[in-house]
Amino acid sequence: MDFSFLQHTYAWHALIAGCCAGVTCALAGVFVVTMHLAFLGVCIAHAAFAGGLMGVWLGFDPLVGALAFSLGVAAMVGPMADRGDITPDASIGILFSLMIGLAFLFIGLVPGSRSEALNLFWGSILTVSRADLAVLIAAAVIMAGGVTLFYKEVQAVLCHRHVAMAVGIPATLVFYGMLFATGLTIAVSLRIIGGLLIYSLIINPAAAAFQLTYSLKRMMLLACLFGVLSCWTGLAASFLWDLPAGASIVIASCIIFAVAAACSPKKRVKAWKRAHTAG
Amino acid sequence: MSYREDVALEGVSLSVGRGEFVGVIGPNGAGKTTLLSVINGLGRLTHGRVHVLGKTPHRRDGYLLRRRVGYVAQVEPVDPRLPISVRESVMVGLYGRLGWLRRPGRSEWARVDAALEQVGMTHLAARPIGHLSGGEYQRVAIARALAQAPEIFLFDEPTASIDPQAQHEILDLIQDIHRRNHATTLYVTHALDTLPRACDRLVLLKGGRLWREGPTAAMLDPALLRALYNGADAPPALRGG
């Protein structure tokens, strides 16, 4: 195989960007997959997408629009789900449809060439600038640092939210913090991965890791590994066989999930549970 | 006071002394769970005052008080694939007291192991929490509250949805914990056959109001109970340690 592409700066930028996005998206994925809120990740991804497109339409940095929309949706979904007036599924679904509607509205309103708007669809990991890299590295450090510092609070809220509240952990604050971290991750990764593909990088590595372990720490490490592996494998396939990078990354993450699901020790756990927990 | 949007308790005036074991009984919808949620500050207080350990639980800093109150809810469905072990799950009880940025050390793990031993779950410490039976899950919940070393224990129907043998063992365990720790204990149940005999006093709730309260023996008068339950439940036969 010809690995001469590694001589180019853009290839190294793409690999570093893939590593950072792989880690941050995977950790955000652990939040939403463990809490069974995978659709929330999809909803925030589309919000970031709509916000980015609004930036393109109005002529400001799409990152700012993506941040505003994804954090705004994260701020709305938490209280809506907690109040219980509308079921979380329904509230997330309504916001999701609104974000899709806004995204297509903004695309329609973009004057002239729509190449920048389409870049937000597919992402452009092969044209990552130094400034983009700095933002991605900062996001990865904030996310990994935050999870390390507040691991016990994150673990309590992910696995036992009601217990966490009852033992005096500010569980609602931690929950909203995780939603905000997810929004931030999606917004900063949007430009390189793309609005249509980013939620795959959030859900698939975390879902694959979830299949393989009963330890949250190990799940986080595995998810990060799978996230980076998806990005690097996808990039290698893109460089070697001239395939679209974003699509290759997503397909790599799906293959990793399929292998993990096939090897999962949890496959038969529900049947085991039924047989052993009659008491 | 209200639970979610419905006003669930009205005109309740109740005082519980340090070290008392108080049973709270009443039919479904009487406001028993709401009473506990008001004590630990998770329920919303629309009128009136609540003082717990000299503090007001419904302020913004109510979570600080919850660190001193052990709460055991009824068995709830747990995802069997949840990535947390029994030992880690018990440690969650100590997280509130540890506060931000402090990690559990050797002494905290020793407390967790001691709590698991007290409830007879040491042999399942490494098992995923979702792989337990209802009775085992409740033992872990009790161990979590024990590890928290609370000044008040709140038990909310801890024997609901588990088999009679496990119910009997959980009741014995709760009474043993009260004997050893002398912590103030409130025990809620709607099923009178799962009422611990160790209760010093019974509070009878009906329709969101405190209907009667008094010594356990007096409150278990069959005529009184028939009136409490509107004849829906047969008068009880006390059981437990």
Side-chain angles (χ1 to χ4, degrees):
Chain A
M1 285 189 188
D2 179 15
F3 286 96
S4 59
F5 62 84
L6 290 173
Q7 292 166 355
H8 302 287
T9 309
Y10 75 87
W12 283 102
H13 279 188
L15 289 171
I16 296 168
C19 179
C20 295
V23 168
T24 46
C25 289
L27 289 174
V30 170
F31 298 162
V32 294
V33 166
T34 311
M35 289 192 289
H36 301 291
L37 290 173
F39 195 42
L40 176 66
V42 179
C43 181
I44 296 178
H46 282 79
F49 182 45
L53 287 169
M54 191 173 85
V56 174
W57 169 44
L58 295 176
F60 59 83
D61 189 343
L63 176 63
V64 174
L67 268 174
F69 269 57
S70 58
L71 295 183
V73 163
M76 274 192 279
V77 163
M80 279 168 84
D82 280 347
R83 278 176 60 86
D85 297 337
I86 311 171
T87 62
D89 269 2
S91 57
I92 293 170
I94 290 161
L95 278 173
F96 173 77
S97 61
L98 175 65
M99 292 306 138
I100 285 270
L102 286 175
F104 280 98
L105 177 70
F106 295 144
I107 288 176
L109 290 171
V110 171
S113 161
R114 291 174 183 161
S115 60
E116 195 182 355
L118 291 174
N119 270 346
L120 286 181
F121 260 107
W122 318 120
S124 50
I125 195 167
L126 301 180
T127 56
V128 176
S129 66
R130 278 181 183 276
D132 290 334
L133 266 189
V135 171
L136 282 169
I137 291 168
V141 169
I142 290 170
M143 189 69 157
V147 167
T148 307
L149 279 177
F150 301 109
Y151 176 75
K152 70 177 194 303
E153 287 80 10
V154 167
Q155 182 193 38
V157 172
L158 287 182
C159 298
H160 289 314
R161 189 169 169 209
H162 294 294
V163 173
M165 288 171 85
V167 302
I169 294 170
T172 304
L173 180 68
V174 175
F175 176 59
Y176 292 172
M178 289 194 288
L179 292 185
F180 265 65
T182 304
L184 178 75
T185 294
I186 291 171
V188 300
S189 309
L190 182 71
R191 188 152 34 194
I192 66 156
I193 303 295
L196 286 183
L197 306 175
I198 192 165
Y199 57 86
S200 313
L201 198 56
I202 288 177
I203 306 298
N204 296 355
F210 189 72
Q211 295 296 320
L212 296 177
T213 179
Y214 287 104
S215 155
L216 185 65
K217 259 184 208 160
R218 227 172 287 150
M219 181 183 167
M220 286 178 170
L221 291 173
L222 279 174
C224 290
L225 177 72
F226 293 156
V228 175
L229 192 64
S230 302
C231 286
W232 286 359
T233 310
L235 279 171
S238 166
F239 288 132
L240 291 170
W241 299 303
D242 197 23
L243 299 172
S248 305
I249 289 170
V250 169
I251 290 168
S253 74
C254 290
I255 292 170
I256 290 171
F257 174 77
V259 173
C263 304
S264 173
K266 299 183 179 181
K267 266 192 299 190
R268 287 183 294 275
V269 79
K270 282 203 167 171
W272 179 91
K273 176 96 176 163
R274 271 197 297 274
H276 288 78
T277 59
Chain B
M1 52 192 82
S2 75
Y3 185 64
R4 299 203 181 269
E5 294 307 308
D6 303 320
V7 175
L9 280 178
E10 261 184 316
V12 173
S13 176
L14 178 67
S15 174
V16 178
R18 193 174 285 270
E20 253 195 301
F21 193 137
V22 175
V24 181
I25 62 172
N28 288 328
K32 304 182 295 296
T33 295
T34 306
L35 181 67
L36 296 192
S37 74
V38 163
I39 291 169
N40 73 1
L42 291 176
R44 195 161 64 90
L45 193 67
T46 47
H47 298 289
R49 284 172 300 165
V50 178
H51 292 284
V52 180
L53 300 169
K55 309 266 182 197
T56 309
H58 297 89
R59 293 159 48 131
R60 275 187 181 275
D61 61 355
Y63 67 91
L64 296 171
L65 180 66
R66 284 195 282 283
R67 295 172 180 178
R68 300 163 64 191
V69 179
Y71 181 73
V72 177
Q74 54 183 287
V75 179
E76 51 188 26
V78 179
D79 181 354
R81 297 159 302 180
L82 201 64
I84 186 167
S85 71
V86 165
R87 195 165 179 252
E88 289 173 318
S89 177
V90 173
M91 177 56 85
V92 171
L94 279 167
Y95 281 173
R97 278 192 183 251
L98 275 171
W100 298 104
L101 303 178
R102 252 192 81 199
R103 284 159 188 266
R106 228 179 255 176
S107 65
E108 282 80 21
W109 284 113
R111 268 168 71 176
V112 165
D113 292 338
L116 280 170
E117 193 178 345
Q118 194 174 340
V119 303
M121 289 291 289
T122 304
H123 63 297
L124 296 179
R127 184 171 282 190
I129 189 80
H131 289 198
L132 302 182
S133 68
E136 289 166 343
Y137 184 85
Q138 284 308 74
R139 284 172 179 272
V140 172
I142 292 169
R144 196 185 296 125
L146 269 174
Q148 198 182 337
E151 290 152 76
I152 298 175
F153 280 100
L154 304 178
F155 293 101
D156 186 4
E157 309 248 15
T159 58
S161 312
I162 57 180
D163 70 72
Q165 176 61 30
Q167 283 182 348
H168 189 79
E169 290 167 5
I170 298 282
L171 277 178
D172 285 347
L173 184 59
I174 289 169
Q175 292 176 119
D176 182 51
I177 288 167
H178 182 70
R179 262 196 303 273
R180 286 188 197 203
N181 299 347
H182 304 293
T184 311
T185 303
L186 272 87
Y187 184 101
V188 157
T189 182
H190 79 281
L192 295 168
D193 59 344
T194 59
L195 186 67
R197 193 180 284 174
C199 289
D200 302 313
R201 187 155 60 104
L202 279 189
V203 171
L204 278 53
L205 292 179
K206 188 177 183 181
R209 292 182 177 274
L210 196 157
W211 192 63
R212 294 279 194 285
E213 66 167 313
T216 302
M219 291 297 104
L220 289 176
D221 173 63
L224 204 59
L225 292 171
R226 257 195 303 274
L228 175 67
Y229 287 93
N230 292 325
D233 288 5
L238 262 182
R239 54 169 280 199

